[in-house]
Amino acid sequence: IPVDDFDLVVFGATGDLARRKILPGLYRRFTAGQIPASARIIGAARTEQDDDAFRSDARAAICEFGGAPRDEARIDDFLNLLGYVAIDAKGEGGWSELKSRMRPGTVHAFYFSVAPALFGDIAERLATNGIADAESRVVVEKPFGRDLASARALNETLARHFTEAQIYRIDHYLGKETVQNLMAVRFANILFEPLWNSQYVDHVQITVAETVGVAGRGSYYDKSGAIRDMVQNHMMQLLCLIAMEPPYHFDPDAVRDEKLKVIRALQAVPPADIVRGQYRGADADYLTDAEDPNSRTESYVAMKVCISNWRWQGTPFYLRTGKKLRARTSEIAITFKEPPHSIFDDSGSPRANQLVIRLQPNEGMNLKVMIKEPGPGGMRLVQVPLDMSFADALGSDGADMPDAYERLIMDVIRGNQTLFMRGDEVEAAWAWTDPIIKAWEDGKHRPEPYDPGSSGPEEALRLMHRDNRRWREIR
Ligand code: BG6
């Protein structure tokens, strides 16, 4: 369904995110017929260049990151939507020209793909120059702060010029098809919901494993570490979608209210329930990649998280994420409890059912169930997978799945905030993460080393063994 006509201004249009995600994503939505040919996409950045120079950069970005097939004529049509204004975020240059480019009567959206330190300057100039109004939308990227105080300050800065209903805070995990699917699985089936609580669920594992290291972005990453880079945002969102109560409606505030309740119910995590790791090896070494030979920043974190509410009391959630691990795999595994009693003698006892939702790659679901092993040998039990791959089930090869950014930018134009984080949600997530980070700042805690290509530090295994549980294999 095509969106309404819009003027989208991308601040930081010459930056990495714009080149890799925003421009190629917009191009793909354009070729899908979702963006009207009258729409305007205006790049804004410090570089002095004209529309044509920006278009030719955008063409290069689309060719590199826009996916196949490459259709020169369509690219030309798309480039016609593009314009460029050189802007001085901290000065006066360019703002009146930007204003003259905005058309009345269209949806106006401003994408802040810039360092958070510039949010305030840009927001203020948009307001004082009369470019943004009460209907305009602003889109902001992560990192949204580095602790509760800085996130609050950012929220206050934005709130000086925009209402909460105008602010779209991106967590690109929410734009992933498979992450949205978590809500469909939970709330469009009657099958799972009755079992989705501590009475029937033994524990939940959330894994986001990556094979990439931090080389090339060490200076950013070393100030963040896995907890700020992945846990406070992406993994927190996954945890919320798995743990939240059913919202009364699939409506932005109804969904975000329920997520917020989960975050507020998270227990503080004692140091003994967290393992931090750093990849250290001859082929890849965090300390070289991070450019600080003494860095104590973690490239891996595993933790046991408990939710103090009626539904989840007694069911731990184990989270782990890391760089330079054995495989790139993101999944959520829900391990159910074993049946209370086995009626089968000497047949192998029933094993726990497990539902694994694969977020990426090889998107799909796998439910492990017990059946009788076929054959004349009596009643022998065996566990088998009921496996569903989205690609097979829906007849697609995954290439036509929209990228997270495509979905999210179109939602901004549609004015749908469901998949964006609300200010209070972000603050609550920092309020929970802050004490964890603080405990590491005394400089005594060195992350455990782990081999690149492994599944993380040995200590993380112990975190599970201690509770008589095991991590699923990363592969
Ligand atoms: C980003 C993090 O937000 O998410 C990166 O900054 C991480 O460190 C990336 O690699 C993971 O995203 P995806 O979509 O590749 O799972």
Side-chain angles (χ1 to χ4, degrees), residues 142 172-173 176 210 217 229-230 234 323 328 360:
K142 89 171 242 278
H172 80 280
Y173 265 57
K176 289 181 189 279
E210 298 185 279
R217 60 199 287 260
D229 187 53
M230 296 295 291
H234 307 323
K323 306 278 185 198
R328 175 175 183 258
Q360 63 187 29

